[in-house]
Amino acid sequence: MNIRNILCTVIALAAVASCTVEHEPSGIRASAYPLVTIDPFTSAWSAADNLYDCQVKHWTGKDFPFVGILTVDGTDYRFMGDKISTVEPVTSDRRAWNAVYTTRKPSGEWMAQDYEPKGWKQGVGPFGILNPDVPYMTEWDTDQIWFRREFVLEEDLCDKEVVLNYSHDDDAIIYINGVEVANWVDSWAYDGYMPLPKEALATLKAGRNVIAATCINSSGDGVIDANIMTVCNHGIQASSAAVQHGVDVQATQTHYSMSCGPVDLKLSFMAPLLLDDLDLVSRPVNYVSYTASSNDGRAHDVKISFEATGDWARHAEYQDVDLSAEEDGELVYLKAGTREQNILGRKGDHVCIDWGYFYLAAGKDGASIKVDAPVMTLSQNLGRVKGEISGRIMVGYDDICSIQYFGENLRPYWNRDGSHTIQEQFSLANAQFEELRKKCDAFDRKLISDATAAGGRKYAELCALAYRQCIAAHKLVESPDGDLLWLSKENDSNGSIGTVDVTYPSAPLFLLYNTELAKGLLNHIFHYAESGMWTKPFPAHDVGTYPLANGQTYGGDMPVEEAGNMLILAAAICRFDKDYSYASKHWDVLKVWADYLLQFGLDPDNQLCTDDFAGHSAHNTNLSIKAIVALAGFGQMAEGVGDAELAGKYTDAAKAMAADWMGMADAGDHYSRTFDNPASWSQKYNLVWDKLLGLNVFPAEVARKEIAFYPSVELEYGLPLDERKEYTKTDWIVWTATLAENKADFEHFVDYIYKFECETVDRLAMSDWIWTDRPEHVGFTARSVVGGYFIKMLPVE
């Protein structure tokens, strides 16, 4: 199959043009580049400027080894990922190890190799409490713990590659033979690795050695674990790395151009997530396509190889994985899966799938497959290369069952009736590649064009980067009642599934491209309430912890927040569909929620809103806006279903509340964050729906005053969320910017987000919670809420 990619290098931007049709390449330097984006579990990123600078990673930071090697005239050039390595524990069993510990601060040099820990208790590590991410053996329920773990080496390790394997939550210090090797403050990490400093490595001699550590648990769950591991390298050991010329990230594709000695290589990662085709959205197959050509006018012997490991199909390294090579029809496959196959047996935030099977696949012609544990290698012999020669492989995952929905295991949407196989999906994907590539090229160009027209070029490039991230944070299934369920995972937050206040910021992308998916964001919450399983007069926060949707697991409620979210989004679906049957279907519960807001929405009591990291707050003016706009939206829906009397009641109530709001929140040159503190301020991003839905319950002067005020409080990377902290939410900045009456003002706010993305030192899938005074994120990565960037592209009614 011939792929005519035209990837021209743009020197100033170090970017490349896209496949088939030239366009202006993206100039954004992404904090991480999307490579494989199927769902929250099968999500792989390059967190570096060059594709070969680091190992491909899952958004959690776990390595998803995926290595590309181009062999040119016998010389191996690595163009993707890093060398594949495994680690072997030096310090006995990683999952259970003997130690002495104390929860009382010890005297003296307790970390020293020759320290005598008198009075310390015997225990088995790791030590922890309430931590779902790391299995711990001994419960630790105090603020701080100290432990010492002795181990015996049979030989010196000074000349070996040695790493520290660690988990800590929260602050921790780790020593080896008295040498400090790690010191973390205000942070946590699970199953991480770091090379040992030379000073510590030099102490690892044959005989007795000691790991000593202390950990502070500031709140909630805690854990401390430390192991010493030696590193073993596997697979093709490339003698050289490619030289990358550019990278261009588009909505459905990421394009790279590079040279491997005398051969140029153009590489594209494509996820055909075209939202008007739900079977295609659900198909768990992505493409890696390439074009090789000589750059010196001579012919060269060329072979391309792709390596991967079973880490794509397991949560932790201690899980046994079976690898195999298979053929079916016109394709060859490499396959990996855990031996245990505990389907839907793991839930949580920073967890990876450990059931189902990971696949690499390609056409049989010229392909060879090999399994040499832990590495699987798929190679394609390109022969003598002078002009362009193209090819592709496919990456996919069969999760067998995707979601447990109120006790019933649901298959993925592509196999919702159980009559299809993953091999059929790969065969379809292979046959449709050329057609889908053209469609993806066209979609990518149109998205950039439309977004640029709406909000400028930098805004468009942010939308392109956000597109796959948002979609791949969801899973598509069908409910037992036949409803579409488009279930989000609250990535890098708490792992909740179907969170309403994550749906709310994510929804603009789906309102823009397919309102059936927008309905799929709400259907589970309606079902939860209408079934009688949820009985409170406001919506649930979530329906469980991903991938188990069996009922709310979040520790508290957000009454005004979630009621407002559900009413606003239902109104938006009906408005953009120009069809109010969706509201009619759920009318009874919508009215219950509207009545709750009518009673409690104007001046909310002390409660959480979607920005729950900021804590509880009473008299929240932005939350009040949400309630008022939601009531106006309910009035609009009442009119749409033909109940003029009810429409008048709620619309009039919303207008009266808006008038009260203006008097209560007026703080001179702006409106306050809370009604009782005129010195406070905040982004009033919820006001955007009054504009988008044509409700007009707030006079234009409210948004105008806020937009004029915000530049006075901006910092280097943009507008803080409010006066309390220097952090912000990028999705809310775009919503706030959309209140602006002209494009220049909109671009002023959004350009800060672009600047941050290009300059941040944190290399991870795009964060939505960032500091505005420094190029660092606060938390959150790979979340669906960046779908909110598309709000500027929604039509204004």
Side-chain angles (χ1 to χ4, degrees):
M1 194 71 69
N2 188 33
I3 308 169
R4 297 293 179 185
N5 296 336
I6 302 174
L7 300 171
C8 60
T9 303
V10 177
I11 297 173
L13 298 176
V16 270
S18 104
C19 302
T20 69
V21 177
E22 290 190 51
H23 67 281
E24 182 184 351
S26 173
I28 197 167
R29 190 238 54 179
S31 52
Y33 294 91
L35 303 181
V36 178
T37 47
I38 292 175
D39 61 24
F41 284 138
T42 307
S43 175
W45 301 75
S46 176
D49 290 340
N50 297 311
L51 185 57
Y52 45 78
D53 279 348
C54 70
Q55 192 55 272
V56 174
K57 295 181 181 295
H58 187 255
W59 61 259
T60 59
K62 175 192 172 183
D63 284 352
F64 266 11
F66 195 22
V67 179
I69 306 289
L70 196 73
T71 304
V72 181
D73 298 330
T75 299
D76 297 321
Y77 295 88
R78 177 170 44 83
F79 62 81
M80 177 173 64
D82 200 355
K83 59 186 178 183
I84 293 178
S85 302
T86 57
V87 290
E88 298 294 333
V90 172
T91 47
S92 67
D93 192 338
R94 292 177 61 190
R95 288 171 285 181
W97 38 266
N98 295 320
V100 293
Y101 72 98
T102 182
T103 55
R104 294 183 178 181
K105 185 175 182 179
S107 59
E109 297 293 314
W110 61 270
M111 74 293 293
Q113 187 174 13
D114 57 358
Y115 180 78
E116 291 293 332
K118 294 181 180 179
W120 291 34
K121 298 177 183 178
Q122 294 286 334
V124 178
F127 299 89
I129 186 168
L130 300 175
N131 195 298
D133 294 302
V134 179
Y136 55 86
M137 303 302 294
T138 299
E139 186 170 288
W140 146 50
D141 59 1
T142 60
D143 292 339
Q144 190 166 3
I145 191 171
W146 294 258
F147 78 75
R148 291 173 57 87
R149 176 185 183 186
E150 294 189 5
F151 58 98
V152 175
L153 293 177
E154 296 182 359
E155 60 177 348
D156 295 354
L157 297 183
C158 310
D159 59 347
K160 295 184 180 296
E161 187 175 357
V162 182
V163 296
L164 175 72
N165 169 236
Y166 59 86
S167 295
H168 68 94
D169 187 352
D170 299 294
D171 304 2
I173 308 175
I174 298 176
Y175 303 85
I176 294 176
N177 293 327
V179 177
E180 182 178 310
V181 296
N183 190 330
W184 296 282
V185 178
D186 294 332
S187 66
W188 59 91
Y190 308 123
D191 201 28
Y193 291 89
M194 60 177 290
L196 290 187
K198 293 180 180 178
E199 298 81 0
L201 186 60
T203 70
L204 289 173
K205 305 286 189 179
R208 175 181 169 274
N209 294 265
V210 178
I211 299 175
T214 183
C215 186
I216 297 173
N217 181 24
S218 57
S219 64
D221 52 359
V223 73
I224 182 67
D225 187 18
N227 304 278
I228 294 177
M229 322 284 283
T230 55
V231 178
C232 302
N233 295 321
H234 303 274
I236 300 171
Q237 300 301 302
S239 57
S240 304
V243 176
Q244 184 171 305
H245 303 306
V247 56
D248 173 25
V249 60
Q250 297 293 323
T252 65
Q253 301 174 88
T254 303
H255 306 290
Y256 288 89
S257 69
M258 57 191 74
S259 295
C260 299
V263 172
D264 289 338
L265 181 67
K266 303 167 187 177
L267 199 69
S268 294
F269 297 83
M270 186 173 81
L273 296 171
L274 305 174
L275 297 181
D276 59 349
D277 186 337
L278 297 184
D279 287 310
L280 186 59
V281 169
S282 177
R283 182 185 296 166
V285 180
N286 281 191
Y287 303 91
V288 185
S289 61
Y290 58 85
T291 298
S293 60
S294 172
N295 59 33
D296 64 0
R298 300 177 181 177
H300 300 276
D301 290 321
V302 179
K303 181 176 74 171
I304 193 166
S305 300
F306 296 90
E307 299 177 329
T309 72
D311 292 285
W312 289 69
R314 66 180 175 184
H315 171 72
E317 290 181 357
Y318 62 76
Q319 294 178 291
D320 293 328
V321 175
D322 291 326
L323 311 178
S324 62
E326 303 173 357
E327 294 186 10
D328 184 83
E330 76 281 12
L331 299 177
V332 294
Y333 299 91
L334 291 167
K335 176 181 176 182
T338 57
R339 197 162 298 163
E340 185 180 15
Q341 288 297 310
N342 185 17
I343 295 175
L344 294 172
R346 188 180 297 275
K347 64 177 181 177
D349 188 0
H350 283 247
V351 300
C352 291
I353 194 168
D354 56 6
W355 66 90
Y357 297 93
F358 167 75
Y359 290 87
L360 291 182
K364 286 181 179 178
D365 291 346
S368 63
I369 49 178
K370 181 178 72 171
V371 173
D372 185 9
V375 178
M376 305 180 294
T377 305
L378 192 163
S379 299
Q380 292 174 313
N381 191 345
L382 307 186
R384 297 285 287 175
V385 173
K386 188 174 182 181
E388 289 190 347
I389 294 183
S390 301
R392 64 179 177 274
I393 69 167
M394 294 173 287
V395 182
Y397 205 100
D398 180 7
D399 60 4
I400 304 173
C401 286
S402 303
I403 300 292
Q404 188 174 96
Y405 188 64
F406 297 104
E408 184 168 342
N409 290 354
L410 303 183
R411 300 182 187 91
Y413 187 82
W414 63 265
N415 193 28
R416 53 196 177 276
D417 63 0
S419 65
H420 301 285
T421 67
I422 190 65
Q423 288 77 17
E424 290 173 356
Q425 295 298 301
F426 273 106
S427 183
L428 276 171
N430 190 49
Q432 295 174 355
F433 171 72
E434 289 289 358
E435 173 191 355
L436 292 176
R437 181 176 59 83
K438 292 175 182 177
K439 287 183 177 180
C440 286
D441 284 344
F443 178 81
D444 290 349
R445 291 192 300 272
K446 189 174 190 307
L447 185 149
I448 287 290
S449 176
D450 291 349
T452 299
R457 177 69 190 194
K458 291 180 179 179
Y459 168 69
E461 292 184 9
L462 286 168
C463 287
L465 181 59
Y467 186 82
R468 276 174 283 169
Q469 174 171 317
C470 176
I471 296 170
H474 296 82
K475 193 69 180 184
L476 187 64
V477 293
E478 186 177 86
S479 79
D481 295 330
D483 287 333
L484 198 67
L485 301 175
W486 186 225
L487 294 166
S488 65
K489 177 175 180 180
E490 198 169 336
N491 289 344
D492 199 40
S493 178
N494 68 355
S496 289
I497 185 170
T499 302
V500 177
D501 57 287
V502 168
T503 287
Y504 178 64
S506 306
L509 174 61
F510 308 109
L511 289 168
L512 180 64
Y513 290 115
N514 189 341
T515 55
E516 291 306 307
L517 287 172
K519 295 173 188 176
L521 293 170
L522 308 185
N523 286 337
H524 57 287
I525 297 296
F526 281 123
H527 172 73
Y528 196 19
E530 291 163 349
S531 67
M533 291 182 286
W534 178 263
T535 59
K536 296 179 181 181
F538 48 81
H541 169 272
D542 60 82
V543 288
T545 301
Y546 195 92
L548 306 185
N550 295 321
Q552 178 171 307
T553 52
Y554 186 72
D557 295 324
M558 299 184 185
V560 173
E561 173 71 36
E562 310 303 20
N565 292 340
M566 291 295 291
L567 286 164
I568 288 171
L569 293 181
I573 288 167
C574 293
R575 183 78 167 179
F576 295 142
D577 272 353
K578 296 180 172 57
D579 180 349
Y580 287 83
S581 58
Y582 190 66
S584 296
K585 180 178 179 181
H586 302 293
W587 192 252
D588 289 346
V589 73
L590 285 170
K591 188 174 184 305
V592 169
W593 297 339
D595 287 341
Y596 182 87
L597 293 181
L598 192 63
Q599 183 176 0
F600 299 107
L602 176 59
D603 188 6
D605 62 10
N606 192 38
Q607 62 189 276
L608 293 172
C609 70
T610 183
D611 305 316
D612 55 355
F613 48 80
H616 287 71
S617 177
H619 318 300
N620 183 330
T621 60
N622 189 45
L623 189 58
S624 176
I625 290 173
K626 178 172 288 186
I628 295 167
V629 172
L631 286 170
F634 183 73
Q636 188 178 82
M637 287 188 285
E639 182 179 357
V641 299
D643 193 330
E645 181 179 352
L646 203 62
K649 172 185 175 182
Y650 284 90
T651 301
D652 290 347
K655 288 180 178 179
M657 291 167 72
D660 290 342
W661 184 97
M662 291 177 65
M664 295 162 64
D666 192 5
D669 62 350
H670 69 284
Y671 294 96
S672 59
R673 173 178 57 83
T674 61
F675 290 125
D676 59 345
N677 182 5
S680 64
W681 58 268
S682 64
Q683 293 186 43
K684 306 302 190 298
Y685 53 83
N686 287 319
L687 194 59
V688 72
W689 292 104
D690 189 40
K691 174 181 178 179
L692 290 174
L693 300 181
L695 301 170
N696 302 317
V697 294
F698 285 90
E701 68 185 78
V702 175
R704 197 173 294 136
K705 182 192 286 192
E706 288 289 289
I707 291 295
F709 169 77
Y710 291 143
S712 69
V713 291
E714 287 174 336
L715 297 174
E716 183 177 0
Y717 292 99
L719 178 63
L721 189 64
D722 57 49
E723 88 285 352
R724 292 173 293 178
K725 295 280 188 179
E726 288 77 24
Y727 56 56
T728 194
K729 290 284 272 79
T730 60
D731 47 344
W732 298 148
I733 285 182
V734 178
W735 288 31
T736 297
T738 303
L739 296 172
E741 294 178 314
N742 61 74
K743 188 176 178 182
D745 285 345
F746 174 85
E747 290 184 71
H748 167 82
F749 291 108
V750 172
D751 284 358
Y752 284 112
I753 306 173
Y754 188 94
K755 172 181 168 67
F756 178 90
E757 183 63 21
C758 289
E759 297 180 7
T760 179
V761 298
D762 296 329
R763 304 310 297 265
L764 38 76
M766 189 161 47
S767 175
D768 57 284
W769 186 20
I770 66 172
W771 294 106
T772 58
D773 60 347
R774 53 192 184 272
E776 300 172 8
H777 85 302
V778 185
F780 301 163
T781 180
R783 301 210 315 158
S784 66
V785 301
V786 295
Y789 291 5
F790 288 80
I791 200 163
K792 179 62 173 173
M793 297 171 69
L794 291 176
V796 177
E797 296 289 333

